[in-house]
Amino acid sequence: MLLDDKIVKIREDFSYLDEQKLGRKIIYLDNAATSQKPNCVIDAVSDYYKYQNANPHRGAHYLTVKATEAYENARSSIAKFINAKSSDEIIFTRNTTESLNLIAYSYALENLKKDDEILITILEHHSNFTTWHYVAEKTGAKLKIVYLDDNFSVDMTDFENKLTSKTKLVSVTGASNVTSCMPDIEKIVELSHKNGAIVVVDGAQLAPHKKVDMQKINCDFFAISGHKMLSPMGIGILYGKKDILDNMKPFMYGGEMIEYVYEDYSTFTLSPTRFEAGTMNVGGAIGLAKAIEYMEAIGMDNIYERERQLSEYAVSQLNKIPYIDIYYPQNAKNVGSAIAFNVKEIHPHDVASILDNFNIAVRSGHHCAMPLHKYLKINASCRASISFYNTKQEIDEFLTHLEDVRRTLGYGLE
Ligand SMILES: Cc1ncc(COP(=O)(O)O)c(C=O)c1O
């Protein structure tokens, strides 16, 4: 593994691994819900509030200039990280959910009409589902859903069959938070654009794990949550193509996004400030920029490779256990590191509680993907989601204690 020799050093950057301070050991396998934060990110946020705190873009004094510089530098770092054409295409939001809502309110409600079609996949997180329910209800557009092949991945034939001249908006996950499938988004964009549809990518589970390139993917919008990629909570990104953004109405109204305000009407700035009404989360933006610097120092390809090797190992071991059902693409070219599974006959919450007794943190429930669970004919699942800072020993402990789950509840191991 590329990072094996460096991992001890990397783990020193994460305070949650300090058992003494934390009061217990934690094997954190809930990284898809939110990642842990390295100390350099926490320090960058803290330093901002200690030495640079002021309201950016407002005023002429030393601190406000410093805060503005830090905030705009963060925007430029993010633009570079995802290879946007310009930092004007980077809008700070709270999270992926807000980014998707921004598109729904400012683009979709204005541009979609009755009988237009919105195409999503059954993999989508609720934030990329309910948003389009709302748009469909308000505009009269029809929501169509693409299903999966027998390897828990998007069925591209179904996609091509459902993409028609009526499809005006396609919104797909870049990586499923349940099955880890990474759809071929470049192909989806190419086919959708040929049909005249714009494409939204929910990048919440993709950007933290794999290099993304907006100019290569060529999607129209891309949403990111900072907290899933080593950053503070409450900071997210919406990438959008500049020509589309500048023709969209604001999402929220208030200070900083205006050009002129008269007694009876107002005019607005262009992107990105058009979509950043009110005082923004400057500390969060600085934390996100620091997280990106940290990930780039490790190397996004190294991160992907390590997570892939750890998850391949975990999946190969889980595949051997007769009482485990696993919902993960086998032998996929590109795949994430969240592994959803069930222990036969045992409720996922029981599995998670018993594992917690052994200091192992996994998620249980529907992971905000109820339609997908229904489609898979299960109510819920457990999910072990792996990050580059996890180790093979941690995966082994997790696998060992899965046996304890059955034992604790009086089941055998067959
Ligand atoms: C694929 C996916 N999309 C969207 C979201 C929503 O992210 P947030 O809660 O940060 O808005 C999540 C969160 O788990 C996710 O996994």
Side-chain angles (χ1 to χ4, degrees), residues 32-33 95-98 125 127 173 175 177 202 204-205 225 227-228:
N95 47 38
T96 297
T97 304
E98 184 173 304
H125 184 279
S127 61
T173 189
N177 64 323
D202 169 356
Q205 300 290 351
S225 287
H227 71 93
K228 293 186 193 292

Side-chain angles (χ1 to χ4, degrees), residues 103-297:
I103 305 164
Y105 279 86
S106 296
Y107 180 85
L109 287 183
E110 296 296 324
N111 289 285
L112 268 63
K113 54 181 189 334
K114 192 167 172 338
D115 297 331
D116 284 345
E117 292 177 357
I118 302 167
L119 195 54
I120 63 171
T121 79
I122 195 69
L123 290 172
E124 306 310 321
H125 184 279
H126 293 163
S127 61
N128 202 22
F129 231 111
T130 52
T131 338
W132 309 118
H133 284 160
Y134 182 70
V135 170
E137 184 194 314
K138 285 284 170 198
T139 59
K142 191 171 165 213
L143 183 63
K144 283 170 63 176
I145 297 171
V146 177
Y147 296 103
L148 306 185
D149 59 21
D150 51 15
N151 201 19
F152 304 105
S153 303
V154 172
D155 180 343
M156 286 302 287
T157 309
D158 195 31
F159 177 81
E160 290 194 43
N161 287 339
K162 285 175 178 163
L163 181 72
T164 71
S165 58
K166 287 185 174 177
T167 314
K168 292 293 171 309
L169 187 143
V170 174
S171 192
V172 289
T173 189
S176 162
N177 64 323
V178 180
T179 76
S180 271
C181 150
M182 287 182 174
D184 185 348
I185 42 179
E186 279 177 42
K187 181 93 193 147
I188 287 175
V189 170
E190 191 197 319
L191 293 169
S192 305
H193 282 171
K194 266 193 200 142
N195 273 268
I198 69 135
V199 185
V200 179
V201 176
D202 169 356
Q205 300 290 351
L206 180 61
H209 306 289
K210 202 166 191 293
K211 174 91 192 127
V212 292
D213 181 328
M214 291 307 108
Q215 296 186 58
K216 194 155 168 261
I217 296 172
N218 198 24
C219 56
D220 301 286
F221 296 104
F222 191 95
I224 299 177
S225 287
H227 71 93
K228 293 186 193 292
M229 44 191 270
L230 314 183
S231 311
M233 293 195 177
I235 190 74
I237 294 297
L238 172 63
Y239 157 84
K241 282 186 179 157
K242 175 87 171 133
D243 54 334
I244 302 181
L245 289 172
D246 283 342
N247 285 302
M248 279 160 53
K249 285 201 171 154
F251 176 37
M252 286 193 274
Y253 294 81
E256 203 39 44
M257 44 76 76
I258 55 88
E259 191 183 35
Y260 292 106
V261 179
Y262 304 97
E263 283 198 18
D264 51 350
Y265 77 99
S266 19
T267 59
F268 308 108
T269 56
L270 296 176
S271 168
T273 47
R274 169 177 294 201
F275 301 101
E276 294 183 358
T279 301
M280 299 297 288
N281 181 359
V282 181
I286 290 167
L288 177 53
K290 186 47 100 176
I292 285 172
E293 192 183 309
Y294 183 84
M295 290 193 299
E296 286 194 312

Side-chain angles (χ1 to χ4, degrees), residues 386-410:
I386 297 165
S387 176
F388 62 91
Y389 47 73
N390 288 122
T391 61
K392 181 170 174 291
Q393 290 89 310
E394 288 183 325
I395 308 290
D396 282 333
E397 276 198 54
F398 155 69
L399 293 163
T400 301
H401 291 300
L402 265 183
E403 287 191 5
D404 293 310
V405 169
R406 298 266 304 180
R407 269 198 208 101
T408 306
L409 294 173

Side-chain angles (χ1 to χ4, degrees), residues 8 15-16 19 88 97 119 147 179 231 235 247 255 313 324 333 383 407:
V8 174
S15 290
Y16 87 98
E19 285 175 39
D88 290 348
T97 304
L119 195 54
Y147 296 103
T179 76
S231 311
I235 190 74
N247 285 302
Y313 171 67
I324 298 283
K333 187 162 160 244
R383 182 185 67 191
R407 269 198 208 101

Side-chain angles (χ1 to χ4, degrees), residues 70-88:
Y71 185 59
E72 291 306 326
N73 286 342
R75 198 192 303 279
S76 304
S77 307
I78 290 146
K80 217 165 132 237
F81 178 65
I82 63 172
N83 197 27
K85 271 195 188 140
S86 115
S87 55
D88 290 348

